[in-house]
Amino acid sequence: EDQVTQSPEALRLQEGESSSLNCSYTVSGLRGLFWYRQDPGKGPEFLFTLYSAGEEKEKERLKATLTKKESFLHITAPKPEDSATYLCAVQAGAAGNKLTFGGGTRVLVKP
Amino acid sequence: DTEVTQTPKHLVMGMTNKKSLKCEQHMGHRAMYWYKQKAKKPPELMFVYSYEKLSINESVPSRFSPECPNSSLLNLHLHALQPEDSALYLCASSQGGVVGAFFGQGTRLTVV
């Protein structure tokens, strides 16, 4: 069974204090790893897709990287508007279009 | 247009009611999804439609009945729900294959 674990569960940062979120996965044949941002009471917002180890994607203050066992979401010089829950999800070989989500990391950036 | 539209935004229903959730996308996506999300938990997959055919049913109770009338629309029919079914119901769509899915803003369902 595919498993996705995110750490830490919660992260409190001062504005400008860079940090990284971790997503470790155990799957049979990774086809893609996805990062989403979710604000309270809203649907997840798609951020990145990563397909193979060594791949990196960037968007504004966010940078996602992928290894054979885990992915990192680096937040550089965060601002209060970066406060959200960040979700990692995987799509694996036998699962068709199914996404398996991790538990998420709740990020709070204080001014 | 990268929008998935869900209606209604909020729904309160009794345990004997029948109601429907609606989802619409005009991105030409061929895969559409229903997810259920409880507070402080990740989304849980319920159903996947691929090319208007049900391709994945995650052993969801029969009181939830999905329907895909055409490639742009997805419904979730609700009947005889329980209070524990109260949650945020999310619709998503994608091109299919290994690409990111786009989510709607959800329907907040409360069963009383």
Side-chain angles (χ1 to χ4, degrees), chain B residues 68-93:
Chain B
C68 188
N70 60 54
S71 60
S72 299
L73 295 174
L74 187 65
N75 298 321
L76 186 62
H77 304 296
L78 313 173
H79 173 55
L81 294 192
Q82 303 297 309
E84 58 265 29
D85 295 321
S86 299
L88 182 67
Y89 287 84
L90 294 162
C91 174
S93 71

Side-chain angles (χ1 to χ4, degrees), chain A residues 59-100:
Chain A
K59 180 180 180 180
E60 296 179 353
R61 295 176 293 282
L62 300 177
K63 180 179 178 180
T65 62
L66 181 65
T67 73
K68 288 186 177 180
K69 293 184 178 181
E70 57 193 349
S71 177
F72 293 93
L73 184 66
H74 308 277
I75 310 179
T76 301
K79 297 182 177 182
E81 53 263 41
D82 295 321
S83 298
T85 295
Y86 291 86
L87 295 163
C88 166
V90 298
Q91 189 171 347
N97 287 325
K98 177 180 177 179
L99 290 181
T100 300

Side-chain angles (χ1 to χ4, degrees), chain A:
Chain A
E1 183 178 332
D2 300 335
Q3 289 194 330
V4 182
T5 304
Q6 291 188 244
S7 62
E9 288 187 8
L11 189 60
R12 295 167 70 99
L13 300 171
Q14 286 296 129
E15 184 172 2
E17 178 189 0
S18 301
S19 188
S20 294
L21 284 54
N22 177 265
C23 170
S24 62
Y25 59 90
T26 305
V27 300
S28 300
L30 180 73
R31 297 172 66 199
L33 185 142
F34 307 87
W35 282 98
Y36 287 87
R37 170 199 169 117
Q38 187 173 26
D39 293 306
K42 301 287 182 67
E45 174 190 349
F46 171 71
L47 294 173
F48 305 110
T49 307
L50 300 167
Y51 294 102
S52 57
E55 192 172 359
E56 299 182 350
K57 294 274 179 74
E58 283 189 73
K59 180 180 180 180
E60 296 179 353
R61 295 176 293 282
L62 300 177
K63 180 179 178 180
T65 62
L66 181 65
T67 73
K68 288 186 177 180
K69 293 184 178 181
E70 57 193 349
S71 177
F72 293 93
L73 184 66
H74 308 277
I75 310 179
T76 301
K79 297 182 177 182
E81 53 263 41
D82 295 321
S83 298
T85 295
Y86 291 86
L87 295 163
C88 166
V90 298
Q91 189 171 347
N97 287 325
K98 177 180 177 179
L99 290 181
T100 300
F101 280 87
T105 295
R106 294 190 304 280
V107 174
L108 176 63
V109 182
K110 292 198 163 185

